[in-house]
Structures are given as structure tokens and as C-alpha cells.
Amino acid sequence: MGKMNSAMLLVRKRYFVIATLNIIMLRASYCKFPKPVLPAIATYFGTKCRYEEVNPHLIDDVLFVNKSLMAPPAPDCRAVHLVAVIRHGTRYPTVKNIKRMARLYELVKTEASGTEQWLHDIQSKWRMWYTDDMDGKLVEKGKNDHRHLAFRLAKSFPTLISEENFRRERMEFMTSSKHRCVDSIKAFQEGLHQHWDVRDVRFIHYVNDSLMRYFDHCQRFVEEVENNKTALKEVENFKSSVEMDEVRRRVANRLQIPHSQITTDLAEAAFFLCSYEFAIKSENSPWCNLLDKMDAEVLEYKNDLKQYWKRGYGHDINCKSSCYLFHDLFKRLDQASYDYRFGEMTKVVSIQVGHAETLLPLLSLMGFFKDEKPLKAENFSQQQSRKFCSSQIVPYAANLLFVLYECSEGLRLQFFLNEKPMTFPGINDLAPLYETVRNYYSGLLDGCDFKKECELPKVTLKKTEL
Ligand SMILES: *[C@@H]1O[C@H](CO)[C@@H](O)[C@H](O)[C@H]1NC(C)=O
Ligand SMILES: *[C@@H]1O[C@H](CO)[C@@H](O)[C@H](O)[C@H]1NC(C)=O
Ligand SMILES: *[C@@H]1O[C@H](CO)[C@@H](O)[C@H](O)[C@H]1NC(C)=O
Ligand SMILES: *[C@@H]1O[C@H](CO)[C@@H](O)[C@H](O)[C@H]1NC(C)=O
């Protein structure tokens, strides 16, 4: 309270007071949790990682923007357009994983023995509080992920994400129809609301699944990968690998439960329990003691295998299923470069909210994080320093930012992953000319036809269907 009062006394201008209060309120919504002791395995949770683990400075100040990272590529450059593709924020587990977690809890409660404090805590204090109706919904922390991200992006690109551009309808908001995505984009808009202190305007968003959940609409992907058990055989093989068996053995030892009772599914349930308790409640839960770093590396690899074969380079159609989003991105950038040459900018910002499954195929299509050798069940040890590491790429609220700058030599394009600049694969320049990027992707820009790529070959029709 003292901090707020002195801020109000010192600052006279009303809007400044409001802005300060809003910052304090935004911060307060985060600070009500005591600063947690991080679980030792917090950076291995893959798509269940907190955003703070890829940007640790946010742990101390969730609204901090590193100006030197987000600055224009040169002093003579000015940001003119932004397309942001963002994953939803922190969410509850899905029903399938809630059931697994409940099974592990029952087993530990009734069968485990030992004298450690953490085991005692699980058995006598912890309660199974996850219920089926939570099924993948956005949690309060997930709303904050997006409120805070909105605030930081507005601070990073003040000439683009501005109240004026918003009022002149130069900002567009699109989302997948899933409740966790719709709730995320609403929270993002709330963040802007608070940042600008606007009360008289109503934010709107468009639901667009053909854009943000294109993978559901790509028949060939659904048939050849999603509904095809053998497409993920590397994941299945890794479940029965020596490495996974050792994880199960170590978990069984810690619980003093027969090894045969700890299946891969249950070892993974412990991983989920640790990750969800941490991501949702900021707690270093007693469940985290069931696994050490070596175990976490193995379980992380299993998740990466799944993403690689289902959403990444494993199958060409995974990448190609994102052709529609790829073309939409360049259509927006092309329109911006046209507007810029011939008059006023009509749109300057697109905020598009989707899933890890939306971001990964697009990144793969564009050649990011491509390892020389494919990720295989038997190559765990050779892949220790792999590029395709989902903990780093797609934590909750992961974001791809494509920013077009007007510079003296022309338009330049810069790419940011999770608020850090990254070079395009094959272009040795942090902010190449937009033309250079277009040339680099010319093959995809001229082809990569969603309809053609996603159509099923006609021969699969059975006679009875004719
Ligand atoms: C900001 O980013 C630069 C460049 O990566 C880094 O050297 C610096 O330490 C960062 N500053 C803070 C306060 O994190
Ligand atoms: C979804 O977005 C695409 C590309 O911007 C657009 O062509 C299409 O009409 C949109 N669909 C809906 C249902 O709004
Ligand atoms: C399933 O996946 C395997 C391995 O990628 C592939 O050889 C097979 O053709 C796929 N089956 C179908 C029905 O697409
Ligand atoms: C994978 O590992 C196996 C066994 O360790 C090795 O023989 C093979 O060459 C490796 N393959 C790749 C693609 O790394």
C-alpha cells in the first residue's frame, strides 16, 4: 500500500497515476503468489513449460522488456507492421491426463512406503484436486500470461500496438475456437485495456479455425498421421527403451513399489503432476521428488519425439498442413509492403492465437530448428543437444513475431521467437530485406497449396463407397 500512496502523491497527471496503478495491478495479479523455489526439473516440461523458464528475467519482473533485444535493427528503421502468432496460456490438464494422475495418486497413497518427508506430504497432505470438468481450460495464470504479454508487446512496439491504431481499426484479433484460446485472446485484450486505460471501447475477435486449427482441416494429415498408429512408432519404441525402463525402475525404487507396477504412463503422470502444480500454482510440489534430472531428460525426449513425428519434420505433411497459415502470413506482409509504398497502412497489427500444434508445423515448414539427423527412439544420447527442443520453443504463451521495418534501404523483416530475435534459417542477417526473405521462401510462396497437399489420393476410396 505504501508504494501505491507515494506513487500517487508524487505523480500529478491523472493518466500517469492510472498507468502506474495499472502496472501495480498487473504486477499484483502475479505477485500474490510467493516466489516459488523452482523444481530442479522445471526446464524439461516441453509444452508444459512455463514461459518464465525461457525468459527467466520475467520471474523478477513480469513486465520487463529488454529494450536492446526488441529495438529496431538499425537507428534509421521504424516498425510498420506486426504479425503475432501466439499459443494460449497456462492450462489445466486434459481429462486423459487427469485420469492418469489420479491413478498414480491412488497407487502412491495405498502402496508406497518410505520415511521421506515428501512421501509423507503426498500421502497425508496432498489432495487430488483436479476434476474432469477442468479438461484443458485456461487457468488464471494463463490469463496473466496473455495480459502480461500484451503489456510487454505494447511496450516493445508502441507505434504499432497503440491506442490510436486500435481505435482506427488497424488491429485485428483472431483465435482458434477452443475455449482456452478464446479466453487467452480476451485476456490479451484486457491487458491492452489496462495499459491504455480505455473504457469506452469494445474489443472484438474473430474465430477462425481454418487458419488457427488448420491441422483438423487437412485430411491427409488426419489420415496419415493423426489416426495412424505407425506414424508415431518412434514414440512407441521409446516407451519400451532401456532409458525409459531405467526411469520406471528409479521411480519404483523411490516409492518402494514393484517395478512392474510403474508403467511409462504412470512415470509420466508424476512428470505431469510436478509440471501442473508448478505452472498453475507456482508450487514446487512433493511430486517433483519422484523424478530427477536424468529422468526428466528422458521424459522430455519422449515428448519431443511425439512433437517431431506429429507436428514437426517427422512427416512432410505435418509441415505442409500449415501452408494456409504460411500464405496468410505473407499475404499480410505483402499487403503491408504495398500499403507502405502506395499510401496509408490499412492494417498494422494481427494478433492470432492458437496452439503449440499451430506454431510447430509453421516453424518446421519455414526450416527453423531442423536437426541434421531425425529424432529416433534409439538416438536419445546422440540427440542431447538437438535443436528441436519443445521446452525451448513452445512453452505456454509461446509467440512468433514477424515485424516489418521501414529502413533507408527499404523494408526489412525481423523474426522473434518468445521475444528474442532469431535469424531465418539460411539467411545470415538478423533483419534481412523483405525481398530477400520472399526470395528465400519463393518455392513455398509459389507452391505449398493447402488443397493440393491435404487432399487424399483418390485411390484410397473403397469400391463400396463409390
Ligand atoms: C538484454 O539483452 C542483452 C542482449 O542479449 C543482454 O546482454 C542483457 O544482459 C539483457 N539485459 C537484461 C537486463 O536482461
Ligand atoms: C479465415 O481467415 C482467412 C484468411 O485470412 C479468410 O480468408 C477466411 O475467410 C477466414 N474465415 C472465416 C470463417 O472467417
Ligand atoms: C501410416 O504411417 C506409416 C509410417 O509413416 C506409413 O508408411 C503408412 O502409409 C501410413 N498409413 C496410412 C493409412 O496413411
Ligand atoms: C542412432 O543410434 C544408433 C545406435 O546407437 C546408431 O547406430 C545410428 O547410426 C544412429 N542414427 C542416427 C540417425 O543418429
Side-chain angles (χ1 to χ4, degrees):
M1 273 321 267
K3 199 169 161 194
M4 224 157 84
N5 284 334
S6 59
M8 277 158 72
L9 284 173
L10 284 171
V11 186
R12 263 160 303 176
K13 277 191 188 158
R14 183 187 157 271
Y15 77 88
F16 213 106
V17 174
I18 301 283
T20 312
L21 280 175
N22 281 338
I23 292 172
I24 291 168
M25 274 158 55
L26 270 169
R27 288 213 164 102
S29 59
Y30 178 77
C31 290
K32 72 174 178 248
F33 297 113
K35 211 162 140 186
V37 180
L38 306 186
I41 59 174
T43 56
Y44 298 97
F45 295 140
T47 53
K48 294 170 183 67
C49 266
R50 300 191 314 172
Y51 191 70
E52 286 84 345
E53 264 55 63
V54 300
N55 276 317
H57 61 267
L58 298 178
I59 294 171
D60 291 322
D61 184 355
V62 76
L63 302 180
F64 178 78
V65 169
N66 189 332
K67 286 267 165 63
S68 73
L69 285 181
M70 302 307 284
D76 66 330
C77 297
R78 187 175 67 92
V80 293
H81 197 87
L82 162 71
V83 181
V85 184
I86 312 175
R87 186 187 178 208
H88 59 75
T90 308
R91 64 164 172 84
Y92 283 117
T94 53
V95 169
K96 187 174 137 227
N97 286 340
I98 290 173
K99 290 194 190 312
R100 276 205 229 172
M101 284 153 51
R103 268 201 293 138
L104 178 67
Y105 174 57
E106 278 310 308
L107 185 69
V108 171
K109 213 169 55 169
T110 54
E111 306 279 320
S113 58
T115 54
E116 292 89 349
Q117 183 61 40
W118 60 262
L119 184 58
H120 178 78
D121 287 347
I122 292 176
Q123 290 179 322
S124 61
K125 288 197 195 139
W126 197 82
R127 290 283 168 272
M128 179 65 199
W129 63 280
Y130 299 93
T131 50
D132 287 359
D133 61 308
M134 292 174 176
D135 193 19
K137 287 191 185 124
L138 196 70
V139 297
E140 192 56 32
K141 167 69 167 67
K143 291 185 186 167
N144 282 335
D145 291 339
H146 271 255
R147 288 185 190 118
H148 295 150
L149 178 65
F151 186 95
R152 292 194 305 272
L153 293 186
K155 224 159 112 184
S156 299
F157 305 105
T159 58
L160 301 181
I161 303 184
S162 68
E163 189 181 338
E164 193 201 346
N165 282 334
F166 173 72
R167 284 187 188 274
R168 298 177 93 173
E169 296 180 0
R170 292 174 180 154
M171 292 182 65
E172 202 174 351
F173 298 88
M174 266 154 292
T175 176
S176 129
S177 63
K178 280 275 161 166
H179 42 58
R180 54 182 169 275
C181 296
V182 174
D183 289 345
S184 291
I185 207 160
K186 285 183 180 166
F188 191 97
Q189 294 173 332
E190 274 168 37
L192 297 181
H193 239 240
Q194 291 183 16
H195 183 46
W196 298 329
D197 185 38
V198 287
R199 302 265 147 88
D200 58 327
V201 292
R202 216 171 58 86
F203 281 98
I204 52 168
H205 65 258
Y206 300 98
V207 168
N208 195 329
D209 279 346
S210 41
L211 207 53
M212 304 317 292
R213 290 182 61 83
Y214 52 76
F215 41 88
D216 284 344
H217 301 240
C218 182
Q219 296 268 307
R220 207 171 133 214
F221 166 76
V222 172
E223 172 147 336
E224 292 183 3
V225 180
E226 177 122 72
N227 296 338
N228 178 358
K229 280 233 165 83
T230 50
L232 298 188
K233 66 177 189 304
E234 295 299 329
V235 183
E236 287 309 309
N237 292 347
F238 193 63
K239 278 195 196 170
S240 48
S241 65
V242 178
E243 289 90 351
M244 193 60 84
D245 192 56
E246 283 166 0
V247 172
R248 291 172 46 211
R249 202 174 289 281
R250 286 191 293 263
V251 172
N253 275 343
R254 288 179 195 120
L255 294 169
Q256 298 184 30
I257 287 176
H259 170 227
S260 62
Q261 288 198 48
I262 302 294
T263 58
T264 301
D265 273 8
L266 286 183
E268 212 169 23
F271 200 45
F272 292 154
L273 275 161
C274 176
S275 77
Y276 281 113
E277 295 286 281
F278 181 53
I280 298 174
K281 301 200 290 183
S282 295
E283 279 174 16
N284 184 356
S285 116
W287 288 103
C288 299
N289 292 284
L290 261 66
L291 302 160
D292 62 18
K293 277 193 189 175
M294 223 191 313
D295 305 322
E297 280 174 15
V298 174
L299 292 166
E300 184 193 39
Y301 191 65
K302 183 197 166 248
N303 286 334
D304 284 351
L305 279 174
K306 181 174 163 204
Q307 299 301 338
Y308 184 88
W309 291 94
K310 197 163 175 187
R311 307 292 173 182
Y313 294 100
H315 300 289
D316 191 47
I317 189 61
N318 300 351
C319 312
K320 293 284 171 61
S321 69
S322 73
C323 287
Y324 196 50
L325 184 59
F326 174 82
H327 281 295
D328 181 72
L329 165 68
F330 278 90
K331 211 173 69 194
R332 288 170 197 280
L333 297 172
D334 283 351
Q335 181 66 46
S337 70
Y338 179 89
D339 285 355
Y340 158 75
R341 262 181 294 154
F342 296 104
E344 213 195 346
M345 304 295 274
T346 47
K347 284 272 179 284
V348 292
V349 177
S350 312
I351 304 292
Q352 310 184 316
V353 176
H355 308 263
E357 295 83 347
T358 313
L359 274 58
L360 281 174
L362 180 65
L363 284 169
S364 303
L365 183 73
M366 296 179 77
F368 290 100
F369 305 107
K370 184 165 191 175
D371 293 288
E372 266 167 46
K373 295 191 168 158
L375 273 60
K376 295 276 191 86
E378 77 265 23
N379 294 92
F380 169 71
S381 58
Q382 290 96 326
Q383 292 286 9
Q384 288 299 293
S385 42
R386 63 189 173 278
K387 293 180 190 157
F388 196 90
C389 180
S390 40
S391 300
Q392 294 294 317
I393 308 170
V394 276
Y396 296 120
N399 50 85
L400 320 183
L401 310 176
F402 298 88
V403 186
L404 209 53
Y405 293 93
E406 169 200 350
C407 306
S408 50
E409 325 89 311
L411 289 171
R412 294 186 171 275
L413 185 68
Q414 189 158 15
F415 173 67
F416 299 84
L417 174 74
N418 300 330
E419 300 170 83
K420 280 170 282 194
M422 245 189 104
T423 54
F424 289 95
I427 306 179
N428 195 14
D429 182 348
L430 259 187
L433 287 171
Y434 180 51
E435 249 346 274
T436 309
V437 181
R438 274 194 118 269
N439 286 339
Y440 182 76
Y441 289 117
S442 59
L444 289 172
L445 285 166
D446 295 339
C448 200
D449 180 61
F450 181 85
K451 271 220 178 85
K452 216 168 92 193
E453 300 292 346
C454 291
E455 213 170 49
L456 282 167
K458 292 250 165 29
V459 289
T460 60
L461 281 179
K462 293 196 197 92
K463 277 228 165 69
T464 51
E465 287 172 325
L466 293 173

